[in-house]
Amino acid sequence: MSEENFEQEHQKALYNLKAELPNDESLAAMVNIFKAFGDMTRVKIILALAETPLSVGEIADTLNMSQSSISHQLSVLKQLNLVSNARRGRNIHYRLSDQHIITIFRQTQEHIIEDENDF
Amino acid sequence: MSEENFEQEHQKALYNLKAELPNDESLAAMVNIFKAFGDMTRVKIILALAETPLSVGEIADTLNMSQSSISHQLSVLKQLNLVSNARRGRNIHYRLSDQHIITIFRQTQEHIIEDENDF
DNA sequence: TTTATATATGAATGGTTGTTCATATATTCA
DNA sequence: TGAATATATGAACAACCATTCATATATAAA
């Protein structure tokens, strides 16, 4: 393709972009999920729940963190429908609401690994 | 499986978890990428660059944001090796460094869509 | 070389967010 | 019922972060 055609195509793409970019509202859901994944505590909670359902206390113990902190973070994850909970005896057990999440994590790890190979 | 066996398995899983959870260092790379995705401006930049390479000014214009703001965010994305840049004439063009990123976005959208179907 | 243009960068600021502390709520056990 | 245990929640604080503003840098054009 000639340089002029390239530039012409580029201008067309640029013109379309402004109209076709998703609006804030439809992006917000995705951004909020990524925000949730952008915290080490929440990621660890998710990775732990990927192995087995756990009570709040068990998570706090496993991650060596306060019960309150874990509870706060679980409520964040729950609001985003990333986890669900159910009482079991005197505890409340949390579980991942969707195995999709782990797929996303794996994909991201792959990106990182391929990135490291660039050096 | 009996209730006792279930509990026994659970305790074993719990015991293993603490040892097998990735440590902070190895999780940090992933968390940092998700942090980068957890901002609407950066997500829009990425979605725009997924269509075509763009100069800083073109991005700023497309997103209706200041040049400075876009430049700051591009430097965040660059540090994470999510984008790369190259001078082209008097502009500097940015491009996605890896199409993997879009796959992750798509995966997340799917999660959201399946989630909506639960109601 | 001077001027204009494109991008980068540092400091300041307002807003967001993760943790802690104290306490409320809810359920089980005695 | 009363005591003990597990979890949730609100307020406060510190740390972090996105944008703006002013300005520096770098390249291209005249």
Side-chain angles (χ1 to χ4, degrees), chain B residues 67-87:
Chain B
Q67 175 270 320
S68 178
S69 182
I70 298 301
S71 187
H72 277 297
Q73 297 302 358
L74 282 170
S75 90
V76 172
L77 296 175
K78 189 154 185 293
Q79 282 214 317
L80 291 166
N81 276 311
L82 295 171
V83 302
S84 64
N85 61 8
R87 183 168 284 273

Side-chain angles (χ1 to χ4, degrees), chain A residues 42-96:
Chain A
R42 287 189 292 260
V43 166
K44 284 183 185 171
I45 291 175
I46 289 169
L47 289 176
L49 293 181
E51 298 300 321
T52 179
L54 292 165
S55 73
V56 179
E58 287 171 332
I59 299 172
D61 181 55
T62 302
L63 305 193
N64 261 309
M65 294 187 62
S66 76
Q67 175 271 320
S68 179
S69 182
I70 298 300
S71 188
H72 276 298
Q73 298 302 357
L74 283 170
S75 92
V76 172
L77 296 175
K78 187 153 185 295
Q79 281 213 317
L80 291 166
N81 277 309
L82 295 170
V83 303
S84 64
N85 60 9
R87 184 168 284 274
R88 188 182 173 86
R90 74 167 57 183
N91 301 315
I92 293 182
H93 276 235
Y94 281 78
R95 60 169 64 251
L96 287 195

Side-chain angles (χ1 to χ4, degrees), chain B:
Chain B
M1 183 164 35
S2 76
E3 180 66 21
E4 288 107 47
N5 276 348
F6 182 86
E7 185 52 32
Q8 205 174 349
E9 284 300 315
H10 181 67
Q11 287 304 325
K12 210 197 287 182
L14 187 54
Y15 178 81
N16 288 334
L17 253 182
K18 224 168 171 170
E20 287 167 14
L21 267 190
N23 58 26
D24 288 18
E25 200 186 338
S26 62
L27 280 181
M30 185 167 73
V31 169
N32 283 335
I33 287 182
F34 284 136
K35 243 181 225 160
F37 293 169
D39 175 82
M40 187 146 311
T41 300
R42 287 189 293 260
V43 166
K44 284 183 187 172
I45 291 174
I46 289 168
L47 290 176
L49 292 180
E51 299 299 323
T52 178
L54 293 166
S55 73
V56 179
E58 287 171 333
I59 299 172
D61 181 55
T62 303
L63 305 192
N64 261 308
M65 295 187 62
S66 76
Q67 175 270 320
S68 178
S69 182
I70 298 301
S71 187
H72 277 297
Q73 297 302 358
L74 282 170
S75 90
V76 172
L77 296 175
K78 189 154 185 293
Q79 282 214 317
L80 291 166
N81 276 311
L82 295 171
V83 302
S84 64
N85 61 8
R87 183 168 284 273
R88 190 183 172 84
R90 73 167 56 180
N91 301 313
I92 294 182
H93 276 235
Y94 280 79
R95 60 169 63 251
L96 288 194
S97 43
D98 188 341
Q99 215 58 21
H100 242 117
I101 299 171
I102 298 304
T103 310
I104 296 171
F105 278 27
R106 242 187 262 121
Q107 199 89 36
T108 309
Q109 288 289 10
E110 272 174 46
H111 166 83
I112 294 167
I113 290 162
E114 291 188 15
D115 203 49
E116 279 165 353
N117 290 342
D118 287 351
F119 297 101

